[in-house]
Structures are given as structure tokens and as C-alpha cells.
């Protein structure tokens, strides 16, 4: 599930819920026993089974895939595995040029270490005083641009206007409670789109571990156009104080000392591709329509800060960050620290110390990817065929910003208006009673359990589609208890906007997002195949298979009875 679309307001809401979160976590059991670290692959079967899913996921989320980050050779390695499987199953290629792949216009950016900044006669040190965020190819000369204080990133009441920022270097102070990456979202807003540069004064010092995150970044050029907006640069509070002569002078609109120098960011093309395949429908009249099934094939790659102790990370997150990356960094009590140490010691006694730097993405979204392969095999080997065609899309770049699904829906390889519905699976391999799967709008933690499954967006465009999923679950005896708490309007975690289904919904295509929700291993090096519930995955895959067949055999298109969003507008839950 993408982290790129979490808004600053969501983070503050999460931070306020922290004490209750930790208290509730202490009352729930730790995760179920883990499975083997490695598994020998076995041939898969036509049926959707936990055994097949386990075989597939141990391949797809293996260390050799290095976290499958989009823009890297390892994401290509993951998509090559998917392509081999759909080719073996005999599905019809539906990518570009008669193949299964659809390439996306992805580019990699990295700042030039020769970039310079000076305040008067004082030279700032690259990497120590300032560090550019690489988002687009630029050479920005700062000489002569006025410097203005734009306010605090956490308080919209302090922000200067778009007109006041135009043509200037805008400086923002950023509270340390906000993670610096999330702050970068702020500087991309239209409010500061006409600024020369945006300086984010965030940290007492720029830690070395942050350098690799900023030193290279991937972005997609929608419709072939370059990324727009000002260059963003992290600076230390010392730079902020030097510019404005101290904290007492930090008033919105205050004019600072002039900055001279130049920021240079380079661009190179990077690899990224969707995998697209079709099972042709049996009805001559309806086979030109499609039920789309999707998952994302990428994850977040290798941990930039280097290897960490796997088991201590797992213990820490289980006790103190029950939603993994969706939980803010806590202030620990002595009791919590003691519990973490006890759990870590016990895991070390079981495994020894394991150093780990690979974000394997077993649940996010290895679980959805291999579930989609298993569903594809069940359809491909069935003697019967549904009336409508089934469109399988493994999207890339979801973690970087829904790039693959945005590109596919903007440039579909089948007519866009022929897609009658889209079912999206992202993180469908957990949901145990010990997993914090999310929280209600008021901040109460939600836990999984037997038959637990979240549905998001199922009635946002089509009441009929939401009812149909409930009907299939009931009539086919899948045994799910659906949780809709993450789907309420205005929910601070904004789940509806954070996975590939939304790129279909923005074009008025009714969607259902199925997920077993979050957990302590979300976006951590601990998201590995040995912690997955394969029976639950098989249960979800079987529901999606039956629902897709039901939709494909309807005598009418799924009725859209809710307002359609603006396809070029911003997503809002």
C-alpha cells in the first residue's frame, strides 16, 4: 500500500492517537508462530490453495528480489516472474506490441553534489547544511531571488499566499513530529508551485541515513511532460536562523537574507512496467467488456540506512508501533522498553541475531500479486469461461505514487469504457487477532480475527457492486466478516486514495478494494513470507474469483449510481 499519499493532517491525527494505541496493544497477544525462513518451490495446481500461494510468495518475496523497488532491475525481475507465469497459463497478452508488458515513462533523479548555496559570504555545506530533494531535472540559479518565510508546515493558518510566494525562495519550518519525507508532499502543493525553491528547515542535522533517500528519487512523467514545481531543499534550523536573524523574527512573510548559488538535479530514464493479460470471455456479445483484477508488483526496496537487527525491529514494532510505518515514532516507557528487550532476547534465542536490510514486501503487495496469479490459474484451467473477459493487471510503482495504475488508466490497452468494474487486492495476507489492522475515524485501534477482511470503496460509485460482494460472500459461504471502518468519509488514514483502485475510480469505474489491513510489519524489513496467513490469502483469492465470475456473468453492466469524480482532480476520502 502506498505511503506517498498520506497527508500531513493524517500524521497529526495518528500522533494524537498514540497513547491509546500503545495501551490497547498491551492487551492483545503477539503474532502467531512464524513459518520456515525458506521453502523449496513446488508445482502449482489449478485450484486456489494455501500451498500454492505459499510456493509463489516464497519465490516472489525472496531476498533475491531485493524488495522489488520500481526503477530497479529487481522490480524487472519480479515482473519477469509474473510474465513467465501468465505465459505458461496461456493467457492472452494485453500489454504493448503484442506482449504482456506495458512500460511506464519513469525517470530517476539525483542531485549534483556540486550544488552550492551561500548566505552572504558564508558558504553552506552540501549534505550537512542543505540537501536537495531530487524530484525533477533542474538547474535553479538562486542569485537575486528574494527570500521569504512561508510559515510552519503544520499550521495552514501561517502559510503565505501563492502570489506572495511567486518568484521567491520560500522557507518553511517543519516540526520534528513530522517525518521529513511526508513534509516533501507539502512543497508539491499548488500554493508554492510558482516559487523558485522551497527550503524545508526540519532537522537539527541532516543524518547520513537520509542522504540515500534524497540522493535518488523516481518519478513518472504523465503524458510525457516533465515534473513541474519548485526545487525542494532540506536545510537545518541553523540555516533558518541565519537567514532570518533568529527565531524571534519568524513571522509569515518576513524577508530574509539573500541566498546565492545553484541547485542542479540530473535525470535518467528508469525501468518500470505493468504486466497485463486477458482471459477471453465466452459470450460473443459480452467478451468485449472486462472485469479488471489488480494488485501491485513493486515494494520499497532496500533499507537506505543499512542493515538492522530483524528481531529487535519486530519486537519494537509489535510493542510500540503496532501499525508499522503508519504509527508515529513513540516515546517509550521503561515498561515498554523492558517488554521489547524480553521479546528480542526470546527471538534471538530462537534464531540467533539476524541482520536485515531488505524490505521484502511479502504482504505489501506480494500477497496480492501471487493471489492474482493463483486466481489467473484457476480461470485459465477452468473448463467453463465467464461471459465477459477478465483483465489481469499487475501494476508497478504503486509505492512511489500509483504510477503504474495511473499510466494504465490514462493509456489503457483495452478501451477504458469497456471495463465494467475493478477489484484490487493489496495486503491480503494478515488480519490475525494480534494485528492492528487500522483504526476508526476517532482513533480507536481495530484488530483482525477469524474471517476478518476490510472493504474500501465498494459502494462509493455503485451500490450494486457493494451489495454483490456481500451476496457472493454469503451465498458461496466464504465466511468473511467485512470491516468498513476504514472507508468512512474523512478518515485520516485516507486508505481509499492509497492504492491502485482509485486510478480506476477517478474514471467512474466502480471498484472494490480488498485488504486484511495493516500490521506491525507494514513497510518494515520484517514483512516476510514466514509471517503470512496463507489460509486467509486463499480465502480472499477465492472470494475475488467468485465475485469476478459473478460480475462477468451479469446480464447488465454494474450500475453506477453515485457521482463520478473528476479524473484530473485530487483524491479525497
Amino acid at each position: 500500500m502506498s505511503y506517498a499519499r498520506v497527508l500531513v493532517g493524517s500524521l497529526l491525527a495518528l500522533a494524537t492517537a498514540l497513547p491509546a494505541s500503545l495501551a490497547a496493544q498491551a492487551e492483545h497477544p503477539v503474532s502467531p508462530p512464524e513459518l520456515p525462513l525458506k521453502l523449496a518451490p513446488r508445482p502449482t495446481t489449478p485450484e486456489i490453495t494455501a500451498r500454492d500461494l505459499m510456493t509463489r510468495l516464497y519465490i516472489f518475496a525472496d531476498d533475491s528480489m531485493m524488495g522489488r523497488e520500481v526503477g530497479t532491475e529487481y522490480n524487472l525481475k519480479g515482473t519477469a516472474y509474473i510474465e513467465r507465469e501468465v505465459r505458461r497459463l496461456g493467457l492472452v497478452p494485453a500489454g504493448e506490441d503484442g506482449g504482456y508488458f506495458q512500460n511506464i515513462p519513469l525517470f530517476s533523479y539525483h542531485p549534483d553534489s556540486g550544488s552550492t548555496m551561500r548566505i552572504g559570504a558564508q558558504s553552506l555545506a552540501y549534505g550537512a547544511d542543505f540537501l536537495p530533494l531530487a524530484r525533477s531535472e533542474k538547474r535553479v540559479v538562486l542569485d537575486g531571488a528574494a527570500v521569504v518565510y512561508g510559515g510552519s508546515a503544520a499550521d495552514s493558518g501561517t502559510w503565505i499566499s501563492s502570489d506572495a510566494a511567486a518568484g521567491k525562495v520560500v522557507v518553511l519550518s517543519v516540526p520534528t513530529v513530522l517525518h521529513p519525507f511526508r513534509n516533501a508532499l507539502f512543497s508539491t502543493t499548488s500554493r508554492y508551485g510558482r516559487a523558485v525553491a522551497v527550503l524545508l528547515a526540519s532537522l537539527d542535522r541532516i543524518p547520513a541515513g537520509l542522504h540515500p533517500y534524497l540522493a535518488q528519487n523516481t518519478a513518472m512523467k504523465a503524458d510525457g511532460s516533465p515534473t513541474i514545481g519548485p526545487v525542494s531543499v532540506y536545510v537545518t534550523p541553523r540555516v533558518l536562523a541565519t537567514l532570518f536573524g533568529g527565531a524571534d523574527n519568524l513571522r509569515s512573510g518576513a524577508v530574509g537574507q539573500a541566498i546565492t548559488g545553484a541547485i542542479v538535479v540530473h535525470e535518467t530514464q528508469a525501468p518500470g512496467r505493468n504486466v497485463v493479460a486477458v482471459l477471453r470471455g465466452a459470450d460473443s456479445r459480452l467478451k468485449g467488456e472486462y472485469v479488471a483484477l489488480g494488485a501491485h508488483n513493486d515494494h520499497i526496496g532496500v533499507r537506505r540506512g543499512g542493515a538492522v537487527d530483524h528481531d529487535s525491529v519486530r519486537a519494537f514494532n509489535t510493542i510500540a508501533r503496532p501499525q508499522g510505518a503508519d504509527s508515529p515514532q513513540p516515546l517509550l516507557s521503561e515498561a515498554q522498553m523492558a517488554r521489547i528487550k524480553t521479546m528480542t532476547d526470546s527471538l534471538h534465542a530462537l534464531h540467533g541475531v539476524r541482520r536485515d536490510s531488505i524490505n521484502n514486501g511479502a504482504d505489501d503487495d506480494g500477497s496480492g500479486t501471487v493471489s492474482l496469479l493463483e486466481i489467473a490459474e484457476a480461470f485459465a484451467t477452468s473448463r467453463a469461461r465467464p461471459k465477459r473477459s477478465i483483465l489481469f493487471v499487475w501494476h508497478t510503482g504503486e509505492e512511489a505514487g500509483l504510477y503504474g495504475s495511473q499510466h494504465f488508466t490514462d493509456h489503457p490497452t483495452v478501451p477504458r469504457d469497456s471495463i465494467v468494474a475493478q477489484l484490487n487486492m493489496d495486503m491480503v495476507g494478515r488480519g490475525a487477532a494480534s494485528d492492528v489492522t487500522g483504526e476508526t475515524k476517532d482513533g480507536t485501534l481495530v484488530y483482525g480475527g477469524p474471517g476478518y477482511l476490510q472493504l474500501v470503496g465498494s459502494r462509493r460509485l455503485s451500490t450494486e457492486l457493494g451489495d454483490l460482494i456481500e451476496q457472493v460472500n454469503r451465498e458461496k459461504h466464504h465466511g468473511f466478516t467485512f470491516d468498513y471502518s476504514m472507508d468512512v468519509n474523512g478518515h485520516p488514514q485516507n486508505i481509499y486514495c492509497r492504492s491502485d483502485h482509485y486510478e480506476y475510480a477517478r474514471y467512474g469505474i466502480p471498484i472494490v478494494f480488498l485488504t486484511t489491513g495493516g500490521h506491525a510489519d507494514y513497510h518494515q524489513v520484517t514483512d516476510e513470507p514466514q509471517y503470512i496467513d496463507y489460509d486467509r490469502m486463499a480465502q480472499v483469492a477465492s472470494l475475488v474469483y467468485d465475485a469476478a465470475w459473478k460480475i462477468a456473468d451479469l446480464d447488465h453492466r454494474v450500475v453506477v449510481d453515485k457521482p463520478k469524480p473528476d479524473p484530473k482532480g485530487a483524491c479525497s476520502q
Side-chain angles (χ1 to χ4, degrees):
M1 187 183 299
S2 176
Y3 209 24
R5 299 212 170 184
V6 184
L7 302 178
V8 167
S10 308
L11 306 169
L12 296 175
L14 287 173
T16 17
L18 177 60
S21 302
L22 295 177
Q25 174 66 12
E27 300 172 1
H28 286 259
V30 297
S31 300
E34 62 194 63
L35 296 165
L37 297 178
K38 297 289 182 181
L39 183 74
R42 300 164 290 196
T44 57
T45 62
E47 298 79 19
I48 295 172
T49 68
R51 185 175 186 260
D52 285 357
L53 289 164
M54 192 173 181
T55 286
R56 292 187 186 282
L57 191 58
Y58 270 84
I59 294 170
F60 193 68
D62 186 72
D63 281 353
S64 63
M65 294 287 187
M66 297 294 284
R68 308 184 307 276
E69 185 175 13
V70 71
T72 71
E73 62 181 293
Y74 299 105
N75 184 251
L76 297 186
K77 186 174 181 179
T79 55
Y81 166 72
I82 299 168
E83 191 270 350
R84 286 195 302 271
E85 285 295 283
V86 295
R87 183 183 298 278
R88 178 179 69 84
L89 294 173
L91 296 179
V92 176
E96 298 170 338
D97 303 321
Y100 293 97
F101 295 125
Q102 181 192 37
N103 293 304
I104 67 170
L106 191 71
F107 293 83
S108 178
Y109 300 94
H110 62 278
D112 192 317
S113 60
S115 297
T116 60
M117 290 179 67
R118 292 181 301 278
I119 303 173
Q122 179 181 351
S123 292
L124 304 182
Y126 178 92
D129 295 317
F130 75 98
L131 194 62
L133 170 62
R135 292 183 301 136
S136 61
E137 185 172 37
K138 287 184 181 295
R139 177 180 175 84
V140 177
V141 177
L142 301 173
D143 300 9
V147 174
V148 61
Y149 181 65
S152 168
D155 184 0
S156 61
T158 67
W159 300 346
I160 63 175
S161 69
S162 174
D163 289 341
K168 299 182 177 68
V169 175
V170 178
V171 186
L172 302 171
S173 56
V174 183
T176 54
V177 69
L178 300 180
H179 188 286
F181 266 135
R182 303 166 195 172
N183 301 337
L185 297 174
F186 182 88
S187 67
T188 65
T189 62
S190 59
R191 177 181 293 267
Y192 298 115
R194 292 186 290 151
V196 172
V198 175
L199 307 188
L200 302 168
S202 175
L203 305 167
D204 291 336
R205 62 183 180 85
I206 299 174
L210 188 59
H211 286 215
Y213 285 103
L214 304 180
Q216 183 164 329
N217 190 33
T218 55
M220 184 178 74
K221 290 187 177 181
D223 300 318
S225 58
T227 306
I228 59 172
V231 65
S232 297
V233 184
Y234 289 114
V235 298
T236 63
R238 185 181 72 82
V239 173
L240 178 68
T242 302
L243 283 169
F244 295 96
D248 292 341
N249 298 320
L250 294 180
R251 297 181 302 276
S252 297
V255 177
Q257 292 191 60
I259 296 177
T260 58
I263 303 295
V264 179
V265 178
H266 300 292
E267 172 189 277
T268 56
Q269 190 151 12
R273 59 194 186 187
N274 299 324
V275 185
V276 192
V278 164
L279 177 96
R280 294 290 183 210
D283 187 287
S284 58
R285 183 176 59 90
L286 295 176
K287 67 181 181 182
E289 296 180 351
Y290 299 87
V291 179
L293 307 181
H296 71 86
N297 60 57
D298 65 309
H299 193 51
I300 59 173
V302 177
R303 187 177 182 274
R304 265 65 165 189
V308 290
D309 180 346
H310 178 107
D311 291 321
S312 67
V313 169
R314 192 145 211 265
F316 179 87
N317 287 338
T318 297
I319 305 303
R321 298 186 74 195
Q323 297 182 77
D326 263 357
S327 291
Q329 285 284 358
L331 296 174
L332 296 177
S333 68
E334 289 186 8
Q336 289 164 338
M337 291 172 67
R339 289 183 62 206
I340 291 168
K341 184 178 186 307
T342 299
M343 185 175 176
T344 302
D345 290 345
S346 138
L347 291 170
H348 283 168
L350 184 64
H351 308 120
V353 176
R354 298 182 292 170
R355 302 287 292 175
D356 196 351
S357 63
I358 300 171
N359 297 290
N360 299 75
D363 190 33
D364 186 14
D365 186 29
S367 62
T369 290
V370 302
S371 293
L372 191 53
L373 277 173
E374 192 74 350
I375 293 167
E377 184 166 23
F379 270 113
T381 55
S382 173
R383 292 182 179 179
R385 293 287 173 96
K387 294 178 181 178
R388 289 178 176 84
S389 297
I390 308 295
L391 175 68
F392 301 92
V393 189
W394 288 265
H395 308 98
T396 196
E398 190 266 2
E399 299 290 0
L402 313 188
Y403 291 159
S405 52
Q406 178 187 337
H407 185 71
F408 181 80
T409 51
D410 282 343
H411 307 279
T413 59
V414 301
R416 188 187 300 117
D417 61 5
S418 69
I419 302 173
V420 303
Q422 198 265 351
L423 309 182
N424 179 44
M425 293 176 290
D426 189 351
M427 299 175 62
V428 293
R430 296 288 291 267
S434 55
D435 285 327
V436 175
T437 59
E439 55 190 68
T440 62
K441 188 177 179 179
D442 65 5
T444 303
L445 293 187
V446 176
Y447 289 82
Y452 179 87
L453 185 64
Q454 290 178 16
L455 293 187
V456 176
S458 60
R459 293 186 175 91
R460 286 185 174 267
L461 285 170
S462 169
T463 304
E464 180 183 30
L465 182 58
D467 293 345
L468 184 147
I469 299 296
E470 294 269 8
Q471 178 188 351
V472 169
N473 180 53
R474 185 174 57 251
E475 293 181 353
K476 293 290 187 176
H477 307 290
H478 288 291
F480 282 110
T481 301
F482 294 135
D483 175 12
Y484 293 97
S485 62
M486 305 294 286
D487 193 31
V488 298
N489 290 336
H491 195 293
Q493 287 186 311
N494 206 32
I495 297 297
Y496 178 60
C497 301
R498 285 174 57 183
S499 193
D500 294 312
H501 55 274
Y502 180 72
E503 298 298 334
Y504 292 80
R506 70 191 172 105
Y507 278 110
I509 298 168
I511 63 90
V512 182
F513 175 28
L514 304 98
T515 177
T516 52
H519 45 75
D521 301 311
Y522 168 62
H523 277 211
Q524 306 295 309
V525 296
T526 53
D527 184 6
E528 296 191 344
Q530 66 264 28
Y531 305 126
I532 296 296
D533 181 346
Y534 293 94
D535 289 326
R536 181 79 54 102
M537 277 177 65
Q539 190 181 7
V540 175
S542 296
L543 172 68
V544 172
Y545 175 83
D546 286 338
W549 201 300
K550 177 80 171 179
I551 298 165
D553 273 359
L554 290 175
D555 60 4
H556 61 280
R557 291 176 67 114
V558 172
V559 176
V560 176
D561 59 345
K562 303 290 182 64
K564 298 179 181 180
D566 175 2
K568 301 302 181 185
C571 179
S572 174
Q573 183 172 325

